[in-house]
Amino acid sequence: MEVTTDKFIEGSRTAIKDEHLQKAIHKATSLSVRERDHAAAEIPDWEELREKARNIKQNTIERLDEYLALLADSVEKAGGTVFWADTAEDATRYITDLAVARGVKTVVKGKSMTSEEIGLNERFEELGIEPVETDLGEYIVQMAKEKPFHIIAPAIHKTRQDIGQLFADKLDIEYEDNPEKLTKIAREKLRGKFCDADMGVTGVNFGIAETGTVVVVENEGNGRLSTSMPPVYVALMGMEKVIPALNDLSTFMTLLPRSATGQKASCYVSFITGTRNVGEVGGPKEFHLVILDNGRSRILQDPEMRESLFCIRCGACLNICPIYNKVGGHSYGWVYSGPIGAVITPQYVGLDKAKDLPNASTLCGACRDICPLRINIPHMLLNLRHKIAEGDKTTGVSKPKSKWAEKAIIDLWVIGMKSQRVYGLGHRVGLVAQKVFLRNSKMKDRLPLLSGWTEHRELPPLAPKPFRDIWKERLSKNGG
Amino acid sequence: MTSGSKNIRASIFITCLVDMLYPNVGEAMVKVLRETGVKLDFPADQTCCGQPAFNSGYQSQARDLAKRFMSIFEGDEYVVAPSGSCTSMVRVFYPELFKDDPVNLRKAQALSSRVYEFSEFLVKVVGKEEVGASYRGAVTYHPSCHLLRELGVGSEPKQLLSKVNGIDLRELPDEKQCCGFGGTFSVKYSDISGAILDTKVKNIKESGAEVLVANDSGCLMHISGALTKQGVPVKAMHLAELLAMKGNDGSHD
Amino acid sequence: MADSNQQDFLQKVRRSLGRPGITPPADRERLIGSSDKPKPVTQLREELEALVHEQRDSLIDSLEREFTRVQGQVARISNESDLHGYLKELISAQAIKRVVRWDTSLPAPLDDTLSESGSTVTTIGPEDGDASETRDALINADLGITEVDFAIAETGSLVLLSNDHQSRLVSLVPPIHLALVKPSAIVPSMAHILPILIATAGEESARMPSSVTFITGPSRTADIEKVLTIGIHGPMAVHLLILEYL
């Protein structure tokens, strides 16, 4: 997918001014949070499950190469083929080569953020192969030629009127904006695609090393159809999605649907292991598991950042984030948005291209509170800010330099802060500067940082006497 | 739980914002703590804990200031600050800063266990919820994010507020939602900051309160700035200021 | 045998983790192993049966309640004649002409009722390749009938294993799905089923079933304004019959 992470500030300004969009985001996310809170409250040992899930992921990630080896072994024993994709190009080349070799004309796709990461649809289209997004939200954004707006609900920025108009324009039908009717239209239009498709591609929620099983979680049934009707099925899995044992799943399947949509269980959970049995009707005759690195191993290099790979893509952090709720998913400029996006996107596309993402946060920590695996997003954002400011020692990849002016200011400021006298002097200078520069109120609105402040808030004055002087003069004598 | 509060000695960690912009908050904190019998001193050499540098990614510079800070407050029985974010810098992030430096890590860990935010100090260390405060009016409370989530201080401020004589404590809708300050975020990403702030102001209006109380001057400066600019008749006050009040005329005696 | 592509890939991962050496050959026991020796599947099944029998009434209640909550239709069937009645009513009300079903021995009245009603029934059983008649039967069917291997009371989920007699398409392609469950198959939670799947895979078939599907109600989406809409790509309706007399 095209990277536009450097357009964050522009994008966020546009989003904030769009009242229509703000209403749509707020409606969707506030409902999601309420539903999630209700569903989590039903589980008395929710906190213990979070801890358990975290430990499973931690153990797996720390020995990732071994669990991936076991996963591959299990898949192969079940009649599947494993392809190891170091880069996005490796993955797309393998899948498109396979499609060409099998004479594939149409591919039906279950929801896969990883496929957007590698730009798979574009590669198919270049070869004259039709990739059909079948998840309703993805179907809508594909039709609109937009990026997904949210990890779970790709079209949540669109109202029913937007979608009705889109369908009317692109499908050449009468305008209709009732959600039920629009949903039926999508079902009818896509039915034939499932039947005719020569290949199905989906993402993977969990890859079970013990058995070689890929787990696909969904509500619509398009995942089931994509994995059951075409003769060839390609499961595209980010390598961090592997978990050790089948028994580990019950922990995750309690946390994931409740965190994502407030459901006790998603409508369909499919355990797919290898190819169909001899004589079986439905299911893949060929099963390919493409295991994708694409920069994940670079994330592993810094032990502090490894937990960014624990994410199970529930989207809860997006729903609760005060920044996401104002700027929306498109501002983040790539596949993954919200708090988790702010952490992983810079690591994938390069810190120098995505400097705004870790910085555009108040570090409030609501994301960590709601995350089913308690991923410490605020601490990782601080870590990324550190890498931006002082260079990235662990990976030595693209050493971005912070603005020299900013570093100079910080250095000066630190020198000042090391001396109580300079600090005190600074206050006195500030008092004078305040009188001089702010006497003319127009100044306030022109000075670079200050104008940002004063656009929304009154500027407080420096106190005539700092506390330390007051203490010395009055307070230290009594009851010291 | 009134246990030997006469024997508690604490050093004041005043924080830059209170020192330079809101010294009255410092005065109020001193008054409230002294009335409970706590003996206070103020290490005059203190400056900044280094959080602005740390939050901007300049960890070496933050480390310099942290070392200075740790030596100034070394050996103090307790250190108390009128700020959740500054307290969390010392308690949570100093050990992080020195994780590869065993000597300073030990110092940071020792200081961690002795540094407190004002409201948690009152409730947990001094053991007091009722401090003789009196204020008649509708008041609502905004929990600052670092206070709530890095320090885990959620109920203590409310316990203290509930004991204020005459208070009409109102719930703030969506209270846990960030106010949008975030330090330099408020100026670097001022549009987003302002938009988040608008929601907080809307919720404050909805609460029907005349006073907004918080424990962090950053949040208060940011929120009161908007209240003033928008002409909303709500006064923003630090918890220490409210607890120092003996009546609505603002008298502290 | 690991090809060089696999070796390179895994080495990169291992080096990134700061681990020395090369990835050892996959050792299931070391990586998955639990402290207890795994129980044989017969024992697991017996233990589960005993538990299910003991909690039978509350499990049925919970399944009925949860399945209804997710917009499924549930009916408790207390005898064969009621089963016959339900099916007849369904066929009439939904104008069902074409039926596909699993190739398992369904309770006898079902077959009788289906033939009496005049609807065509295609049993989807073992075959080689994709016969177009089978495909057409599935695509044109109004109703798909299956049993369930398990039902989960906690979440109202039906668990269907697939094989050459139990096609995964029967519960997926037709717009209406009718599922038959015996009370002995109703278990408390997903965690009760997983060990049995593993033990079965270990002992009997050397691998997991080609698919295990957990179905919790008719298909749905909330992708448009978070408005819940029932019926998109999977079935529009699911009827669950709890055969209490079995």
Side-chain angles (χ1 to χ4, degrees):
Chain A
M1 182 186 281
E2 194 203 345
V3 179
T4 55
T5 49
D6 52 344
K7 307 263 187 305
F8 178 84
I9 292 187
E10 245 176 81
S12 61
R13 286 210 180 111
T14 310
I16 288 169
K17 291 205 185 81
D18 186 343
E19 276 185 39
H20 182 79
L21 179 66
Q22 292 294 314
K23 278 208 188 79
I25 297 174
H26 177 76
K27 188 165 164 217
T29 60
S30 55
L31 177 60
S32 299
V33 170
R34 271 202 306 278
E35 290 175 335
R36 173 262 161 209
D37 286 347
H38 185 80
E42 286 178 346
I43 304 292
D45 58 344
W46 182 260
E47 292 304 316
E48 284 88 338
L49 286 176
R50 286 172 91 191
E51 194 57 36
K52 197 167 170 203
R54 215 188 135 79
N55 290 337
I56 293 170
K57 278 284 180 178
Q58 184 137 47
N59 169 55
T60 312
I61 296 286
E62 290 299 327
R63 299 156 85 177
L64 188 59
D65 59 316
E66 296 189 65
Y67 282 108
L68 288 173
L70 179 59
L71 173 64
D73 189 57
S74 304
V75 167
E76 281 159 4
K77 284 201 170 78
T81 306
V82 176
F83 180 73
W84 302 90
D86 183 34
T87 64
E89 292 70 37
D90 289 342
T92 54
R93 202 180 324 114
Y94 179 82
I95 300 172
T96 53
D97 282 354
L98 176 66
V100 168
R102 299 290 180 270
V104 169
K105 306 250 180 349
T106 310
V107 178
V108 282
K109 293 190 64 218
K111 196 156 168 348
S112 166
M113 308 225 70
T114 326
S115 76
E116 319 221 23
E117 215 187 288
I118 65 176
L120 182 61
N121 287 2
E122 287 83 351
R123 302 288 88 73
F124 275 138
E125 280 159 0
E126 279 164 14
L127 294 162
I129 298 171
E130 186 196 7
V132 180
E133 293 293 346
T134 61
D135 169 88
L136 180 59
E138 294 285 349
Y139 178 61
I140 292 168
V141 299
Q142 183 182 42
M143 206 185 288
K145 293 202 175 19
E146 289 178 21
K147 293 177 177 150
F149 196 80
H150 186 285
I151 284 174
I152 298 298
I156 218 59
H157 58 306
K158 292 193 174 306
T159 59
R160 63 187 71 188
Q161 291 86 358
D162 293 334
I163 296 166
Q165 195 55 55
L166 179 68
F167 277 24
D169 293 340
K170 302 284 181 177
L171 300 176
D172 200 24
I173 55 174
E174 291 269 315
Y175 175 86
E176 172 59 69
D177 62 25
N178 173 279
E180 271 209 45
K181 297 214 174 92
L182 288 169
T183 303
K184 295 296 176 289
I185 291 169
R187 177 189 161 100
E188 277 156 33
K189 291 285 173 187
L190 289 167
R191 210 102 192 108
K193 300 290 182 186
F194 292 118
C195 299
D196 297 338
D198 315 292
M199 178 190 267
V201 177
T202 75
V204 172
N205 292 88
F206 304 98
I208 314 291
E210 182 183 24
T211 57
T213 302
V214 303
V215 180
V216 178
V217 179
E218 50 156 343
N219 281 300
E220 298 183 15
N222 61 310
R224 288 180 66 193
L225 286 164
S226 301
T227 59
S228 308
M229 299 213 55
V232 180
Y233 168 42
V234 177
L236 177 59
M237 185 184 97
M239 68 181 189
E240 80 281 17
K241 298 298 184 71
V242 63
I243 62 174
L246 197 68
N247 283 333
D248 292 329
L249 259 184
S250 45
T251 303
F252 290 100
M253 292 317 302
T254 306
L255 295 168
L256 176 58
R258 289 171 193 267
S259 301
T261 52
Q263 292 173 281
K264 291 189 187 191
S266 303
C267 194
Y268 302 118
V269 179
S270 303
F271 294 1
I272 300 160
T273 310
T275 51
R276 62 164 78 165
N277 290 115
V278 173
E280 188 182 342
V281 174
K285 290 191 179 141
E286 277 188 63
F287 171 63
H288 300 255
L289 176 65
V290 176
I291 302 179
L292 182 71
D293 182 335
N294 199 29
R296 286 155 175 78
S297 51
R298 201 170 58 234
I299 295 178
L300 291 176
Q301 288 178 30
D302 184 349
E304 303 275 307
M305 302 304 291
R306 274 176 207 163
E307 66 182 278
S308 47
L309 296 179
F310 292 3
C311 177
I312 60 175
R313 305 286 189 262
C314 71
C317 60
L318 276 68
N319 297 330
I320 200 76
C321 177
I323 281 83
Y324 176 87
N325 270 286
K326 297 298 176 197
V327 310
H330 289 162
S331 303
Y332 292 79
W334 203 51
V335 182
Y336 307 105
S337 54
I340 192 63
V343 168
I344 64 179
T345 298
Q347 296 181 86
Y348 283 124
V349 310
L351 278 163
D352 42 5
K353 279 208 204 77
K355 270 194 231 134
D356 282 317
L357 267 50
N359 279 300
S361 167
T362 58
L363 305 174
C364 77
C367 49
R368 177 182 51 207
D369 268 7
I370 208 173
C371 175
L373 279 87
R374 226 185 274 126
I375 296 173
N376 201 338
I377 294 175
H379 288 207
M380 288 197 286
L381 291 173
L382 283 165
N383 211 308
L384 287 173
R385 293 181 187 185
H386 172 52
K387 289 178 197 282
I388 290 170
E390 296 186 346
D392 191 354
K393 292 181 200 76
T394 37
T395 64
V397 168
S398 78
K399 253 171 160 273
K401 289 174 188 58
S402 62
K403 293 183 241 194
W404 66 265
E406 187 182 76
K407 184 169 187 309
I409 291 171
I410 296 271
D411 281 337
L412 273 172
W413 176 79
V414 169
I415 290 170
M417 287 297 152
K418 278 187 182 161
S419 155
Q420 200 276 125
R421 277 222 311 269
V422 174
Y423 174 102
L425 180 65
H427 183 90
R428 284 195 284 285
V429 168
L431 283 171
V432 174
Q434 187 175 256
K435 282 209 197 84
V436 172
F437 286 106
L438 302 182
R439 189 171 26 195
N440 180 353
S441 66
K442 287 212 189 70
M443 268 287 182
K444 272 196 272 187
D445 301 327
R446 289 225 209 93
L447 295 168
L449 290 180
L450 284 182
S451 62
W453 181 274
T454 56
E455 198 181 327
H456 306 278
R457 297 147 286 220
E458 283 296 321
L459 196 62
L462 288 171
K465 267 209 189 86
F467 175 87
R468 61 192 61 229
D469 289 354
I470 296 174
W471 172 272
K472 213 172 8 174
E473 287 166 22
R474 275 197 280 120
L475 301 173
S476 62
K477 290 142 198 150
N478 317 328
Chain B
M1 193 176 72
T2 48
S3 51
S5 50
K6 306 284 180 261
N7 295 322
I8 298 177
R9 302 192 62 90
S11 295
I12 300 168
F13 160 26
I14 195 60
T15 79
C16 305
L17 282 181
V18 170
D19 193 20
M20 296 200 287
L21 289 160
Y22 304 109
N24 46 310
V25 170
E27 286 201 67
M29 181 173 90
V30 167
K31 179 174 184 289
V32 172
L33 287 176
R34 277 183 172 160
E35 276 188 9
T36 67
V38 174
K39 304 273 187 288
L40 292 170
D41 73 84
F42 176 78
D45 272 350
Q46 65 181 276
T47 56
C48 181
C49 65
Q51 181 170 72
F54 178 73
N55 278 1
S56 301
Y58 296 96
Q59 291 189 6
S60 341
Q61 290 89 334
R63 239 173 250 123
D64 278 349
L65 290 179
K67 284 181 199 159
R68 184 176 185 278
F69 186 98
M70 292 196 300
S71 68
I72 287 169
F73 286 93
E74 191 160 22
D76 290 339
E77 194 182 320
Y78 293 107
V79 177
V80 60
S83 161
S85 73
C86 305
T87 305
S88 53
M89 179 65 203
V90 177
R91 183 188 293 169
V92 177
F93 295 109
Y94 274 17
E96 286 289 314
L97 272 177
F98 294 111
K99 63 181 190 291
D100 295 327
D101 175 346
V103 172
N104 280 304
L105 177 59
R106 255 197 312 279
K107 287 191 188 167
Q109 283 163 341
L111 181 54
S112 263
S113 61
R114 292 182 286 112
V115 70
Y116 285 89
E117 179 274 337
F118 167 66
S119 69
E120 66 169 346
F121 185 72
L122 265 177
V123 175
K124 287 190 181 148
V125 179
V126 179
K128 279 206 179 261
E129 285 177 22
E130 209 269 292
V131 297
S134 185
Y135 182 83
R136 217 163 214 77
V139 175
T140 192
Y141 170 71
H142 160 76
S144 311
C145 297
H146 277 123
L147 180 73
L148 182 66
R149 298 194 182 95
E150 295 288 352
L151 299 178
V153 176
S155 57
E156 291 84 343
K158 289 185 174 175
Q159 286 160 241
L160 290 162
L161 283 169
S162 67
K163 298 287 197 291
V164 173
N165 187 23
I167 198 169
D168 169 16
L169 199 50
R170 304 284 178 93
E171 203 176 301
L172 179 63
D174 276 335
E175 64 171 16
K176 291 194 181 146
Q177 256 235 352
C178 180
C179 69
F181 176 60
T184 52
F185 173 86
S186 61
V187 289
K188 282 189 187 166
Y189 299 95
S190 54
D191 292 324
I192 310 175
S193 175
I196 298 171
L197 180 56
D198 280 344
T199 306
K200 182 58 76 175
V201 168
K202 190 168 70 75
N203 287 333
I204 291 170
K205 278 154 70 169
E206 214 177 291
S207 74
E210 306 149 3
V211 176
L212 182 274
V213 166
N215 294 28
D216 269 79
S217 299
C219 304
L220 285 166
M221 177 171 72
H222 169 77
I223 295 172
S224 72
L227 291 171
T228 311
K229 194 170 172 94
Q230 293 179 29
V232 177
V234 172
K235 190 161 157 36
M237 211 188 276
H238 192 284
L239 178 67
E241 294 180 274
L242 188 70
L243 293 182
M245 292 181 95
K246 303 296 186 202
N248 286 30
D249 57 2
S251 61
H252 280 204
D253 260 20
Chain C
M1 155 106 154
D3 65 20
S4 66
N5 189 236
Q6 172 170 334
Q7 274 172 13
D8 290 340
F9 187 103
L10 293 179
Q11 254 324 86
K12 192 173 176 188
V13 171
R14 197 174 175 86
R15 267 199 317 270
S16 301
L17 288 165
R19 305 181 76 200
I22 62 164
T23 308
D27 182 347
R28 193 162 269 103
E29 265 188 47
R30 187 172 53 83
L31 290 174
I32 309 296
S34 65
S35 42
D36 323 302
K37 190 160 166 43
K39 297 180 187 169
V41 72
T42 41
Q43 186 185 345
L44 285 171
R45 283 193 184 275
E46 271 166 26
E47 286 173 1
L48 187 58
E49 254 174 62
L51 173 80
V52 163
H53 183 77
E54 197 188 298
Q55 298 180 12
R56 188 197 144 104
D57 289 341
S58 67
L59 288 171
I60 294 177
D61 284 346
S62 178
L63 178 65
E64 186 177 25
R65 187 179 58 244
E66 293 303 323
F67 201 72
T68 307
R69 245 171 38 94
V70 292
Q71 294 84 19
Q73 318 289 328
V74 192
R76 297 194 193 207
I77 306 290
S78 31
N79 55 55
E80 288 187 356
S81 144
D82 284 352
L83 176 58
H84 170 89
Y86 191 96
L87 190 54
K88 196 156 166 247
E89 172 62 36
L90 178 64
I91 290 174
S92 151
Q94 300 298 325
I96 287 168
K97 302 270 183 302
R98 292 157 298 215
V99 178
V100 288
R101 49 162 278 185
W102 267 7
D103 186 22
T104 56
S105 47
L106 301 175
L110 223 56
D111 284 347
D112 296 340
T113 313
L114 290 171
S115 49
E116 268 169 33
S117 71
S119 42
T120 59
V121 183
T122 310
T123 302
I124 309 292
E127 61 169 57
D128 303 316
D130 289 305
S132 62
E133 295 86 29
T134 313
R135 279 239 142 178
D136 289 343
L138 282 159
I139 290 166
N140 297 320
D142 307 305
L143 171 69
I145 303 180
T146 72
E147 293 177 89
V148 310
D149 292 278
F150 299 98
I152 300 176
E154 181 192 8
T155 52
S157 307
L158 313 178
V159 187
L160 280 62
L161 275 51
S162 68
N163 56 52
D164 54 351
H165 296 276
Q166 301 186 177
S167 166
R168 65 187 89 176
L169 298 178
V170 175
S171 63
L172 173 60
V173 180
I176 304 177
H177 173 208
L178 178 75
L180 307 168
V181 64
K182 298 175 188 165
S184 56
I186 307 173
V187 306
S189 72
M190 185 193 267
H192 289 86
I193 300 173
L194 301 179
I196 292 185
L197 289 174
I198 288 291
T200 312
E203 284 177 32
E204 294 171 8
S205 41
R207 61 166 260 194
M208 287 274 287
S210 54
S211 98
V212 181
T213 311
F214 295 74
I215 297 170
T216 311
S219 65
R220 66 202 53 229
T221 181
D223 275 348
I224 299 177
E225 290 188 0
K226 287 280 292 178
V227 172
L228 179 64
T229 314
I230 300 296
I232 179 165
H233 300 300
M236 317 277 282
V238 187
H239 295 253
L240 177 66
L241 303 186
I242 304 176
L243 307 179
E244 289 186 305
Y245 61 96
L246 289 178

